[in-house]
Structures are given as C-alpha cells and as structure tokens.
Amino acid sequence: MTDLRAPERASDAQPPGRTGGPSRRPSGSGLFRAVWRWHFFASFVVVPVLLVLAVTGLIYLFRFQLEPLLHPDLMKAEPTATQQVAQPYSAQLAAVRAAYPDVEVVSLAEPREDGRSTVFSVVLPDGEGRDVYVDPFAVRVLGSMDPDTTLSGTAVRLHADLMSGRVGDMVMELGACWAIVMAITGYYLFLRGRRARRRLARSGRPGARLRSRHGAVGAVVGVGLLTLLVSGLPWTGFWGAKVQELATAQGSSLWSTDHGAISDPVSTLDESLPHSHLPDVPWAQHKSEVPRSEVPEPGADGEVSVANVDTAVVVAEREGLRRPFTIALPSTDDGVFSVIGYAFDAPTDERTVHVDRYGGEVVDTYGYDDYPALAKVVAHGIGLHEGRSLGLWSFWGAALLCLGVVVSCVTGPLMWWRRRPRGRSSIGAPRGRMPLRATPALTVGILVLGVLLPFFGITLLAALLLDQLVLRRVPALAGWFDRPARA
C-alpha cells in the first residue's frame, strides 16, 4: 500500500539518478513522506515474513485436498466386493498394535469423508510421533508416515517458527508486529495519496498504474490481513505467552481449559481440534482435577470388565457430539477415552466427552460453553484464521486473502525496483521526519502500539537510536539510507 504524492516542485518530478541533469529529492518533513519512509523500511522485515505466512497458509488451507492426492496409497480406502461395511475401531486398533507392537497408540481420527482411511496417531519408543493409516473395510494397515514431513506438515512448521525453534518464532512475531503497523500506514498512504495517484495515472507517469493496483489490492487485503495477524498473536512465543500469563493471573485464559487435555494429545494433520488438546498450550497451570476412570473390583473369574473404543464412540454419539470424532485413548489404567466432536466449521460446537474405560459411563464433558470469555474470543479468532468458521465463505475468502498478500508482497518491491536510484549509492528510501512534536496524537498512537506490540516497540526504539547515533554521524551510511548527515 505504498504511494507517492504528486511532487510539489518541478525538480521533484525528476527521478534521482536519471539522465537530464542532477536533481535532489526533498528531505520532506511532512507526515506523508515520513509514514512512507517507515512503510518502506518495514517492508524489509515484513515482506519475507508475509510471503512465508501467505504461501504456507495457502498450502495448509488446502491440506485436505492436497494430501490425499500426494499420498493416495495411505489416505484412500474403498469398499471391496466382499466387504462393504467399515469394521469396528477396536478391530482396526488391534491391527495397528499387531503391525507395530512397540508403539503406543495415543489417538484415532475417523475418516472425514467416504473413501478415506482411519488415522491412528502413535508414539514410537524414541518419542517420535507418526500417523498410521488403516483401511477400515479390509482392516489392513496401509502404512505410516511422520505428519511433520508431509507438505502441509512442513507448511505448518514453517508458518509457526520457520522450523528454527525460538529464534524462528521471534522472527515471525517481529514480522507480524511490523506487518500490523505496515497495514495501518498503508491505509494512511492509500487514502492520503488518492488524488496524486489519479493525477499521475492521467499524466501517464511510469509506474503509476502499478502503484494504483498495489494500493487497491492493499486496501482490500488490509482488513483481512489485520484480522489474520491479530488472531495469530495468541500463538506467538512472547506476546501470546505474556498475555496468557496475565489472563491466568486474572483467573481467565486465552485457551480452553479442559482438564482432560493433559492426557496424551492427538497428533494428526488436522489441527482444527479444540486447542486445549495441544501439548504446548499453557492453560490454567493444570490446576483442574483430571478425570479418571474408576478401576472396578475383579469378578469371580478374576477378570475386569473393560470398555473399548467402540463403546466410547457409541457414548459420544448418544451425547450428541458431531462426527467425525477424534478419540484420545487412555494411556494408564485409570485413564479415560476423550472423544472430541467435529467442530471444524463452528467453534461453538467444540465439545469433548470423557468416557470411563471400564464401565463406559461419561466421567466428564467440556465444551465451548465452559470456556473462559477470552478463550471463546480466541476460538472464533482461530476459526477465522484457519478459514473455517463461515464455511466456504471463509475458506475461499482466506484463499483469496493469501493470494492478495502475495500480490502485495511482489508489487511493493517491484515499485521500488522501477524507481530505484541509478548512478549513485542510495537505497532510494523516501525522505521525511515524523512530526511528533506537532502531532501529539501520533506520538500517543506510536507509544500505545509500542506497548501493545513489544517487539515493534523495541525494534522501533533500536532503529531510532541507530538513526540518531550512527546514520547521522556517518555520511556514507546517511547517504545510502537517504538520511541527511549531521553537519
């Protein structure tokens, strides 16, 4: 959403470094050029991050369409002439344990649609997780794979932290914080420079059409981008963790606080499950009592009656949960079956039923109505972020938004490339100083953003110190960054 205003003097119309005699761009102290300058420099951090987020987000958005095409031998299963009915999950579970006797099976996910296999998530002896695929008709193990190595699994890891742990998470959070600022400044440039854009377009100025298209795309994408960025902040390692600490101190939480969530978590490609079931969510400091199964006394024959996964499915269906289910299996003698209902397109339908592994009775239930107020907001934010809350509207809206972000990230640098200085050592940044003394509201706005987005505030302060202590004192650097050197 970068824009140019029409030059105020004839000399301004001469692009620097072009033939036709020397020219000098005005240093400019107006707000427009100052905002444009920060918009320009923010792009160095924001554009790479947004490109990664948009491309990986687009891949993840289409994961249920892409992965079966890439792995049909594992993910597709059709009825046979001799077997037209899917077999009980207990039989499928037994097949998995027979094929992989050394693994711990932690959960299963029902097929999302006809013609798909059942997915069992297992943990290997070395602690690594894998997804095992079973033909529900022939009760045959089709194979297994590490979900992190699939196309969508790789996209998720890049989207989260560039597969670089804490450092990558900080880079993504930094880019997201500055992207929020860049979107805000972009709207200012778009609205403030609309008349100049029209004049430049009518005059046939080189690059004017590209600027207009960049601004138009940015104006449409900006609102959705801000929604995605803000709704993604709860996942960040610094902002999300600190806000969660504050929420917990006030007796609330960003995340649902199901006490059954500390059972072994699910581990499938589908991350649209209630996020209390993720292992790295710091919910409520585990203060709630975990639901347990009551171990009965052995009968006359010394045997203990044990319910199975099919019992848990029947109970969950009776309780009104939507299918397909994801079932976390008990890992201890007093553990429970945790059946998670389908809520992909409706966060308000998120609900989990914990079933006693012996008597098959409901031990506890937990759902959207039990969430803290903040967790309800976050649940809806996650649904919007993943393009699933409003059905096909949000799905295709998210897809178009990702494409729009890619277009903005490409056209922005292209605009700079076309107007870049030639023949002199300068990056071609717009010149302008923020009129903070003349506009107290602007100062307050920057301070508020710096507090709400600490990574933005810290890096902005560092940039200002660098500008004052280094760039102004080194003429070569000042010239390169288009910063007037100190006399």
Side-chain angles (χ1 to χ4, degrees):
M1 289 182 280
T2 305
D3 272 311
L4 277 169
R5 281 200 302 177
E8 298 177 0
R9 299 193 300 269
S11 61
D12 296 345
Q14 177 79 17
R18 303 289 177 88
T19 58
S23 63
R24 183 180 180 184
R25 289 178 298 163
S27 60
S29 59
L31 180 59
F32 184 90
R33 283 188 173 273
V35 171
W36 182 20
R37 180 176 177 84
W38 282 105
H39 191 82
F40 173 83
F41 279 114
S43 67
F44 286 86
V45 175
V46 172
V47 166
V49 170
L50 284 187
L51 275 175
V52 172
L53 290 175
V55 173
T56 56
L58 198 61
I59 292 172
Y60 186 68
L61 190 66
F62 286 91
R63 64 196 180 280
F64 296 125
Q65 291 77 30
L66 291 173
E67 295 300 343
L69 293 176
L70 297 173
H71 307 283
D73 55 325
L74 296 178
M75 297 187 176
K76 293 186 177 181
E78 298 290 347
T80 64
T82 58
Q83 186 53 262
Q84 297 287 322
V85 179
Q87 299 302 295
Y89 291 122
S90 54
Q92 298 180 47
L93 176 59
V96 172
R97 286 172 170 162
Y100 302 96
D102 297 328
V103 307
E104 179 186 4
V105 185
V106 297
S107 70
L108 73 89
E110 292 188 306
R112 293 180 58 88
E113 58 186 59
D114 294 338
R116 294 287 187 262
S117 53
T118 307
V119 184
F120 290 81
S121 294
V122 305
V123 177
L124 304 179
D126 61 2
E128 293 296 321
R130 294 186 73 83
D131 282 344
V132 178
Y133 297 84
V134 176
D135 184 331
F137 303 99
V139 193
R140 177 172 59 92
V141 174
L142 302 173
S144 69
M145 65 178 174
D146 183 348
D148 286 342
T149 62
T150 62
L151 177 63
S152 56
T154 302
V156 168
R157 293 189 294 146
L158 285 170
H159 196 89
D161 58 13
L162 300 174
M163 297 192 293
S164 302
R166 177 61 177 161
V167 173
D169 178 78
M170 293 175 66
V171 170
M172 300 303 276
E173 183 171 350
L174 175 64
C177 290
W178 273 97
I180 292 173
V181 177
M182 195 170 184
I184 295 172
T185 57
Y187 272 115
Y188 174 83
L189 295 174
F190 176 76
L191 296 173
R192 185 72 171 81
R194 61 189 183 279
R195 293 181 180 176
R197 279 196 311 277
R198 288 196 293 267
R199 289 198 300 268
L200 292 173
R202 285 195 298 266
S203 67
R205 179 76 173 268
R209 182 174 298 179
L210 180 62
R211 283 194 296 273
S212 293
R213 290 175 177 172
H214 178 80
V217 171
V220 174
V221 168
V223 174
L225 177 61
L226 285 170
T227 300
L228 290 183
L229 292 169
V230 172
S231 62
L233 285 177
W235 275 303
T236 55
F238 182 82
W239 191 96
K242 293 301 180 183
V243 173
Q244 172 64 12
E245 288 180 9
L246 293 174
T248 301
Q250 299 299 317
S252 185
S253 173
L254 290 176
W255 308 97
S256 51
T257 54
D258 184 1
H259 37 269
I262 64 173
S263 301
D264 285 329
V266 294
S267 173
T268 70
L269 291 175
D270 185 3
E271 294 189 359
S272 60
L273 298 163
H275 283 72
S276 63
H277 290 269
L278 294 183
D280 55 352
V281 172
W283 65 88
Q285 300 179 347
H286 301 177
K287 291 182 178 179
S288 300
E289 182 181 353
V290 180
R292 298 293 186 186
S293 295
E294 291 292 335
V295 183
E297 294 294 331
D301 55 0
E303 297 293 329
V304 174
S305 175
V306 179
N308 59 27
V309 65
D310 297 305
T311 306
V313 168
V314 171
V315 172
E317 196 165 39
R318 185 185 66 204
E319 291 294 313
L321 266 64
R322 293 174 60 192
R323 301 186 78 161
F325 300 147
T326 297
I327 304 102
L329 306 178
S331 59
T332 61
D333 288 343
D334 60 351
V336 296
F337 293 100
S338 296
V339 187
I340 306 163
Y342 181 80
F344 185 85
D345 56 348
T348 54
D349 287 346
E350 291 182 4
R351 190 159 169 256
T352 300
V353 172
H354 302 290
V355 181
D356 188 293
R357 68 173 302 180
Y358 299 103
E361 300 298 327
V362 175
V363 177
D364 196 10
T365 63
Y366 188 84
Y368 177 86
D369 291 340
D370 303 305
Y371 292 2
L374 281 176
K376 291 181 178 180
V377 174
V378 171
H380 285 286
I382 292 172
L384 288 173
H385 191 94
E386 295 183 346
R388 55 185 176 82
S389 284
L390 304 175
L392 290 177
W393 286 102
S394 58
F395 177 86
W396 289 110
L400 291 174
L401 177 59
C402 289
L403 292 174
V405 169
V406 172
V407 169
S408 295
C409 289
V410 172
T411 55
L414 184 58
M415 288 162 54
W416 165 81
W417 182 257
R418 288 186 172 184
R419 68 170 184 80
R420 74 192 188 283
R422 292 173 173 83
R424 66 185 182 88
S425 56
S426 169
I427 198 173
R431 292 187 177 186
R433 298 183 180 90
M434 283 287 185
L436 298 180
R437 294 182 180 178
T439 51
L442 176 63
T443 305
V444 172
I446 292 175
L447 290 174
V448 170
L449 277 175
V451 172
L452 294 178
L453 304 173
F455 273 28
F456 161 70
I458 293 171
T459 51
L460 175 62
L461 180 60
L464 292 175
L465 290 175
L466 179 67
D467 181 65
Q468 293 295 317
L469 301 179
V470 179
L471 297 188
R472 291 186 61 185
R473 301 172 187 274
V474 182
L477 289 177
W480 174 256
F481 286 100
D482 294 280
R483 174 68 164 85
R486 173 175 287 181

